[in-house]
Amino acid sequence: NCLHHADVVANTFSSVSVEASVFLKPNVNIFFDGYQTVPFERSIRRGRDFPNFQHVEKTGGILTANSAAELIETINACFRNPELNRKNVEVLRERMTFRADGQASARIAEQIIGCLS
């Protein structure tokens, strides 16, 4: 429900990026550590190397912010133009989700019932 009603979704290296694409929401990933300097092994920047996230980033369906100023600028751009990056978000949704038809629960229930029969 939160994603459905969101105007923009901001997060870091999370499946929330994929979930937001189901609702075709502009998605901003934070690629900086705030106002502190931390070692790379504790840095959010290392997430860019996570194999399970690289395929998400390759779709172009997420916008990135490398600083606080860039985060504010990118979020404001999304507010001004909700269609910003829409085609890439659609690519992300198509590649990373099975179907965005509202019938996932029915398919899950069908599989569970099939296993119990």
Side-chain angles (χ1 to χ4, degrees), residues 3 9 12 17 23 63-64 85 92 95 105 107 113:
L3 292 175
V9 176
T12 58
S17 296
F23 298 100
L63 302 169
T64 59
N85 204 35
L92 172 59
R95 289 188 187 163
S105 294
R107 284 190 290 275
I113 291 168

Side-chain angles (χ1 to χ4, degrees), residues 35-96:
Y35 297 105
Q36 57 189 339
T37 302
V38 297
F40 185 76
E41 62 272 3
R42 289 191 9 219
S43 172
I44 196 64
R45 294 173 288 123
R46 69 189 169 84
R48 195 168 241 154
D49 297 333
F50 293 169
N52 64 328
F53 197 78
Q54 289 175 352
H55 56 278
V56 173
E57 192 171 16
K58 285 179 186 175
T59 67
I62 58 171
L63 302 169
T64 59
N66 296 299
S67 68
E70 200 172 303
L71 178 61
I72 292 167
E73 179 183 315
T74 305
I75 289 173
N76 282 332
C78 292
F79 284 144
R80 285 190 300 273
N81 180 7
E83 299 296 312
L84 183 68
N85 204 35
R86 175 75 173 252
K87 289 185 190 275
N88 289 335
V89 173
E90 289 173 357
V91 170
L92 172 59
R93 181 174 76 170
E94 171 135 347
R95 289 188 187 163
M96 303 304 300

Side-chain angles (χ1 to χ4, degrees), residues 2-9 24-27 75 78-79 81-82:
C2 291
L3 292 175
H4 173 72
H5 292 288
D7 292 314
V8 178
V9 176
L24 298 173
K25 299 299 179 173
N27 192 336
I75 289 173
C78 292
F79 284 144
N81 180 7

